[in-house]
Amino acid sequence: MSDLLSLASRGLTGASWSAWVLYFLATTQGTIVAVTLYLHRSQAHRGVQFHPVIAHLFRFWCWLTTGMVTRQWVAVHRKHHARCETVEDPHSPQVFGIGTVLWRGVDLYKRAAANKDDLATFGAGTPTDWIECHLYEPWSWLGPTLLAAVSIALFGVVGVALWALQMVWIPFWAAGVINGLGHWCGYRNFETSDTSANLVPWGLLVGGEELHNNHHAFPASAKFSQHRFEFDGGWLVICLLRWFGLAKVRRVAPALGYRAHIQEPDVETIRALRVQHGRILHDYASSVIAPILAQQRFGARSVRRLRRALANGGRWLDPSTRSELAALVHARRYLTEVCDFRDRLADMTARNRRDISPLAQDLRRWCTDAESSGIRVLVEFAERLKGCRVVEVRAERPTRPSLMQPKP
Ligand SMILES: [Zn+2]
Ligand SMILES: [Zn+2]
């Protein structure tokens, strides 16, 4: 009897608390890696392709530890990118409020995943093999149930607590923190058309997903980090798998380069304006708007706050704060001028026509006007802008023979 009681309380392993913590961290981190690498970077955005065995391991692990269905996750996420910050965005804090997305992100996800039309529109290209149609999708609840059984068998009553924690850990970090706070606070490298932000520069806890602004700027990039000081844990795993020939990187975000002594904007400048508009607009806010704000004797904190608001023309402010901002700008000549130049630049970056000659004309006029403005920081920016170019980052080749494709 006492043996049975001991088995129920300690499980088959009789493990100590350090083993519980290790088990919990290993399984939750495994799930985070499977979600960011397989569901997000590979299935939703096609930035990386994994060896079929690795891809299936990830798919199985997602089913076992979360019960999430690949097609549903991909459809909800692609819709988030396609309808970002509108009423159709499945989980925008701008629409639902940060509290709802942070604490009830799972409910928003479930509601979005039940939309059959969206599954057909946004879920294309996800697995439809036998195991998906007969096990993973119709029996999605079975995965977490099996995990509960394994957890209880291994650790007894503690296994119940560990399993319950696992069940809330991933939804909280992925659906709550990344979808919520990732569109609410943090720093930006790119002036994207949404509110995405990088939560911290080191993507360790949530597999690199913390770099959410970088991801929104280049969704199809397999690598989320952009600066030397940033770290993308998911990219490290991709590099390891690639080294073993088990992953093929399809796309990596390009960088922004500068050429010296370019007299007139040329085709390379226009390409940079189109591909790297987020970075260019961000640089404009940092190197033109911020110094002008600092000159107006605003404090460092106010400069940061105003720079962030003016970087997108106050787009995300409520109407009364936006009109206060407009009044503040119009009362200051240089600030008005650089904000007008920003609006013209933003208008050019938003154009998506094939015919580039009107854009080239406007860009030339913009540079000429900026250079004759007499505002030193604006003149320097125009000089740099003319020399902008896109630097392609090649998805490097694996250093070992790839297992992804048979040899000819
Ligand atoms: Zn997002
Ligand atoms: Zn994405």
Side-chain angles (χ1 to χ4, degrees):
M1 187 66 186
S2 64
D3 284 353
L4 268 178
L5 275 175
S6 163
L7 187 69
S9 64
R10 307 282 309 270
L12 292 169
T13 59
S16 63
W17 66 269
S18 52
W20 302 337
V21 173
L22 214 66
Y23 167 82
F24 178 76
L25 288 178
T27 49
T28 49
Q29 276 304 309
T31 308
I32 280 173
V33 167
V35 170
T36 183
L37 262 54
Y38 174 71
L39 291 179
H40 193 191
R41 306 188 203 205
S42 180
Q43 286 291 308
H45 295 296
R46 306 283 174 206
V48 56
Q49 186 189 350
F50 295 107
H51 186 280
V53 173
I54 300 295
H56 202 122
L57 264 177
F58 283 146
R59 181 154 55 123
F60 167 76
W61 193 254
C62 286
W63 172 76
L64 182 73
T65 60
T66 67
M68 289 193 299
V69 177
T70 304
R71 188 162 64 110
Q72 293 175 356
W73 196 98
V74 166
V76 172
H77 187 70
R78 285 182 185 160
K79 192 178 182 188
H80 165 59
H81 279 274
R83 308 277 191 270
C84 206
E85 319 293 14
T86 70
V87 288
E88 287 187 65
D89 185 337
H91 42 67
S92 166
Q94 304 301 319
V95 177
F96 296 101
I98 183 63
T100 305
V101 182
L102 186 58
W103 301 112
R104 292 181 42 225
V106 177
D107 297 338
L108 295 175
Y109 172 80
K110 282 183 182 163
R111 198 193 307 165
N115 187 326
K116 296 269 183 291
D117 291 341
D118 286 348
L119 295 186
T121 311
F122 296 103
T126 48
T128 51
D129 51 9
W130 187 92
I131 198 165
E132 188 72 24
C133 299
H134 291 85
L135 178 63
Y136 293 159
E137 189 160 348
W139 297 82
S140 58
W141 55 270
L142 186 61
T145 312
L146 275 176
L147 186 72
V150 170
S151 193
I152 292 165
L154 290 175
F155 306 112
V157 281
V158 175
V160 179
L162 286 173
W163 177 81
L165 259 177
Q166 281 174 309
M167 290 300 106
V168 294
W169 189 261
I170 302 300
F172 174 70
W173 286 106
V177 173
I178 300 301
N179 292 346
L181 296 181
H183 280 261
W184 192 254
C185 56
Y187 71 95
R188 279 158 79 85
N189 289 329
F190 299 94
E191 206 43 59
T192 49
S193 58
D194 47 60
T195 56
S196 60
N198 297 325
L199 290 172
V200 287
W202 313 285
L204 287 165
L205 189 63
V206 201
E209 295 285 335
E210 293 91 336
L211 298 162
H212 203 58
N213 174 242
N214 294 356
H215 170 59
H216 267 269
F218 293 101
S221 172
K223 183 186 178 192
F224 289 176
S225 54
Q226 287 281 334
H227 288 299
R228 280 167 189 264
F229 62 85
E230 291 173 338
F231 178 76
D232 171 9
W235 175 247
L236 182 72
V237 179
I238 290 176
C239 290
L240 270 174
L241 289 171
R242 185 174 59 174
W243 194 78
F244 285 108
L246 297 169
K248 198 183 214 176
V249 176
R250 297 210 167 277
R251 291 182 205 97
V252 175
L256 182 62
Y258 296 98
R259 298 161 293 154
H261 314 301
I262 299 295
Q263 301 303 317
E264 289 258 284
D266 55 15
V267 280
E268 287 211 53
T269 322
I270 290 169
R271 179 148 184 269
L273 197 64
R274 282 183 157 170
V275 176
Q276 285 283 3
H277 50 87
R279 169 80 78 192
I280 289 171
L281 285 173
H282 179 79
D283 286 353
Y284 185 85
S286 308
S287 60
V288 180
I289 295 179
I292 296 291
L293 283 169
Q295 245 177 29
Q296 309 290 316
R297 298 185 195 286
F298 290 111
R301 227 174 130 197
S302 301
V303 167
R304 263 201 308 277
R305 205 164 46 85
L306 287 166
R307 184 199 65 80
R308 189 158 181 162
L310 291 172
N312 52 49
R315 183 175 170 185
W316 303 106
L317 299 174
D318 61 75
S320 73
T321 317
R322 199 182 307 131
S323 43
E324 273 175 39
L325 184 72
L328 180 143
V329 169
H330 287 129
R332 291 161 175 85
R333 189 190 136 207
Y334 290 134
L335 199 52
T336 309
E337 228 172 299
V338 294
C339 286
D340 286 347
F341 271 99
R342 189 217 78 93
D343 292 347
R344 281 171 63 189
L345 190 62
D347 174 62
M348 284 189 283
T349 60
R351 288 187 216 166
N352 204 13
R353 288 188 220 114
R354 279 187 179 278
D355 181 13
I356 62 164
S357 54
L359 179 60
Q361 239 175 27
D362 287 352
L363 184 56
R364 268 198 297 274
R365 196 173 309 128
W366 191 96
C367 289
T368 314
D369 293 350
E371 282 168 332
S372 55
S373 67
I375 303 172
R376 186 180 53 81
V377 283
L378 186 55
V379 173
E380 287 169 359
F381 180 85
E383 196 63 35
R384 280 200 307 280
L385 180 64
K386 288 189 293 190
C388 278
R389 71 182 181 97
V390 175
V391 181
E392 295 295 348
V393 178
R394 282 178 58 196
E396 298 141 62
R397 286 166 180 276
T399 52
R400 304 185 88 192
S402 175
L403 300 177
M404 300 292 292
Q405 282 175 336
K407 283 180 183 170

